[in-house]
Amino acid sequence: MNASPSLVKRLRDHVRLAAACAFSAVAVMYAVLCLKLSFVDMSPNVVCGSGGCPRGLGWLVLWTMVAGLAAGGLWWSAVQGRGYRSAVGWVAAVAVALVALWPGWLGFSWLRGPHMDLFSYQVPDGPGADRPIGSWQGTPATGFVIRGRADAVTGYNGEGRRGWRFPAPPGGAVCAMSSGAPSGTGLLTVTTAESTCGNRLMAVDVTSGEQRWTKDIPKLVGRPSASGSLAVTATADAVLAHDLVTGAESWRSPLPAGAVASEVVAGPDRVLLLARTDQGVELFALDARSGALAWRFPMPVGPEPPRIVSASPAAAVGDGRLLVFDGSGRQSARSEGAYLPTKDVTEWLVVGEVLYAPVWEREKREVLAAFSLKDGRRLWTRAFDHDWRVRTLAADRSGRIAVVTEGAYVHLWHLDPGTGQPRGESTVLRGLRLGTSFALYGRTFVNLDDDGRLPPILDVAPTVGW
């Protein structure tokens, strides 16, 4: 008569069986996840090995093989020891296998890194919708995001729902929006039925959508600018400043004879104007309190037009180089070794006395660079994986620089503003319908493409599940 197995042997057999079931469960789960990453998440136009593989796929394949081999070895051992004959052992093994799925899933989540996908969106405007003009962000407390089109400006509350709508005048259109809305007031230039774009300047409360004031001003040029208590705009023959709260005219500075204004930017103590004169393109600096001309500077012109970066500190880009000026208008610095495009690019981000901008390094690859607006020095340069391009920049509430890059996939990075080093791993943005131009405010994207098939705004949230 055969002696019954000892307690130690039975326990050892049960452990082998449980381990075999656990590794098998993890191997099967990882195999399914590999298939999902390969056939669902992978772009159909990208081949693995060229930077297009879903993040973590390589390591996941390796761990799938390791788990599979471990499961095979343990099953062989369990069969040899005949531990599979115990009903108690099977019950314990199935329980252990189910429990093992949780740490296996956590391992997968760690390998693939953070992901976000669509949380909510506004229904697309549809074909024939008027073109987008720009966007604003309301005060952080309200969470409002504002998107402007030629026919109306619409405010969306913190939950992404439409909060208010400010229509263009009957028979007219919204021509331009200020780049920001300081003190909760945004500026619009609009046209009425009697004029081409634009002949009216309007101030709008970004929280309520109510009109604060309006001024009829013939021959407005470009987009208005607001800073501190001033609303500044250019016309065909002058630069005008109004009180941002009341709309009362503060000063008027005539343009030189024959000058044609192209861009105006207001700062706390200075207003900068780009205008074409008989001397070429010149940069004019006006006193923000009186409008008096402080200095003028002939701008270098290259393949792309010059642009103003900041009024205070005074900085502009000409011929692809950053030019920084002192208080008397002398050029105090000029960046070298990087080309800053000024046409059809992502908007630059100016935070304090630092410019963050995508640049072409040696005109071969695009990188993100930070420049001091005090002395023009390049503070740091950040290249992204696989030469992916920078799509938009924003400052988040914690003081980091949010950067959206796009290659085979769209990634959201958060960088240290002082060093350019990532604060944590980048977040993969999955399945977002983004156009070629958009703005980012926190977790809200505002599409600015002239494509009515895209949602005007959409919000993202951390991915739940696979």
Side-chain angles (χ1 to χ4, degrees):
M1 185 172 67
N2 295 329
S4 61
S6 66
L7 177 62
V8 173
K9 183 180 184 305
R10 290 200 304 272
L11 289 175
R12 185 167 57 246
D13 290 341
H14 291 168
V15 169
R16 289 172 181 167
L17 182 63
C21 287
F23 275 97
S24 297
V26 172
V28 171
M29 180 178 69
Y30 278 5
V32 172
L33 292 172
C34 283
L35 293 174
K36 189 264 182 183
L37 291 181
S38 299
F39 295 101
V40 178
D41 288 4
M42 189 181 296
S43 170
N45 301 319
V46 177
V47 178
C48 264
S50 63
C53 288
R55 186 169 58 191
L57 178 58
W59 283 105
L60 187 62
V61 170
L62 176 62
W63 282 110
T64 302
M65 296 173 60
V66 170
L69 291 173
L74 288 166
W75 276 117
W76 181 86
S77 177
V79 169
Q80 291 295 314
R82 299 187 177 184
Y84 59 89
R85 293 184 173 184
S86 169
V88 174
W90 273 110
V91 172
V94 171
V96 170
L98 293 175
V99 172
L101 291 176
W102 178 241
W105 175 264
L106 294 179
F108 164 71
S109 298
W110 179 79
L111 287 174
R112 72 171 181 174
H115 281 57
M116 285 187 176
D117 53 19
L118 185 65
F119 175 72
S120 66
Y121 68 96
Q122 283 287 319
V123 176
D125 299 324
D130 286 339
R131 63 185 178 90
I133 302 297
S135 63
W136 298 321
Q137 183 179 27
T139 58
T142 62
F144 262 86
V145 172
I146 297 89
R147 180 177 186 261
R149 293 190 325 198
D151 61 337
V153 177
T154 305
Y156 301 89
N157 64 20
E159 298 177 347
R161 298 189 181 94
R162 182 172 295 184
W164 52 261
R165 188 173 187 271
F166 187 86
V174 179
C175 305
M177 301 170 61
S178 57
S179 60
S183 306
T185 302
L187 298 176
L188 305 174
T189 59
V190 303
T191 181
T192 61
E194 296 80 19
S195 175
T196 57
C197 236
N199 66 326
R200 181 173 294 175
L201 179 64
M202 309 179 78
V204 179
D205 184 294
V206 299
T207 301
S208 65
E210 296 178 355
Q211 176 182 299
R212 291 188 182 272
W213 51 265
T214 181
K215 295 287 180 180
D216 287 329
I217 305 172
K219 301 178 181 179
L220 289 168
V221 176
R223 66 195 225 174
S225 179
S227 177
S229 61
L230 281 186
V232 180
T233 191
T235 70
D237 54 13
V239 177
L240 304 179
H242 294 81
D243 185 276
L244 189 60
V245 176
T246 65
E249 184 173 311
S250 301
W251 48 260
R252 177 186 298 257
S253 181
L255 297 179
V260 178
S262 61
E263 184 180 12
V264 64
V265 175
D269 54 7
R270 184 184 298 111
V271 174
L272 291 187
L273 168 75
L274 271 178
R276 181 170 293 278
T277 69
D278 55 4
Q279 304 296 318
V281 178
E282 293 189 74
L283 182 67
F284 295 84
L286 310 177
D287 185 276
R289 293 178 295 275
S290 64
L293 177 64
W295 49 265
R296 60 195 293 181
F297 183 88
M299 290 291 293
V301 179
E304 298 178 346
R307 281 185 59 185
I308 299 172
V309 173
S310 167
S312 298
V317 170
D319 193 20
R321 308 297 179 228
L322 174 65
L323 308 179
V324 177
F325 304 91
D326 62 18
S328 60
R330 290 190 301 269
Q331 181 184 323
S332 58
R334 173 189 172 98
S335 67
E336 300 294 345
Y339 185 85
L340 283 79
T342 62
K343 184 179 180 182
D344 299 329
V345 297
T346 302
E347 286 293 330
W348 300 320
L349 176 67
V350 176
V351 180
E353 296 181 337
V354 179
L355 164 68
Y356 303 92
V359 302
W360 284 97
E361 193 173 52
R362 295 183 295 275
E363 303 185 14
K364 292 183 179 179
R365 65 167 183 169
E366 186 187 77
V367 298
L368 181 65
F371 297 90
S372 168
L373 297 181
K374 296 177 65 177
D375 53 23
R377 288 184 303 113
R378 194 191 311 196
L379 304 176
W380 51 258
T381 299
R382 174 73 189 175
F384 295 96
D385 296 341
H386 315 297
D387 294 333
W388 288 8
R389 296 205 60 187
V390 175
R391 294 292 307 280
T392 195
L393 302 171
D396 68 16
R397 295 181 183 179
S398 61
R400 302 170 301 179
I401 304 302
V403 186
V404 177
T405 61
E406 183 177 40
Y409 301 94
V410 180
H411 282 239
L412 173 62
W413 304 75
H414 290 91
L415 308 183
D416 185 290
T419 64
Q421 294 300 312
R423 291 187 177 177
E425 198 169 10
S426 65
T427 300
V428 178
L429 302 175
R430 305 192 331 192
L432 303 186
R433 296 178 59 195
L434 296 172
T436 57
S437 178
F438 56 86
L440 172 63
Y441 304 109
R443 292 184 177 180
T444 300
F445 288 83
V446 181
N447 268 318
L448 299 175
D449 257 8
D450 191 8
D451 186 344
R453 297 169 297 178
L454 296 172
I457 71 166
L458 50 89
D459 297 285
V460 295
T463 299
V464 176
W466 67 1

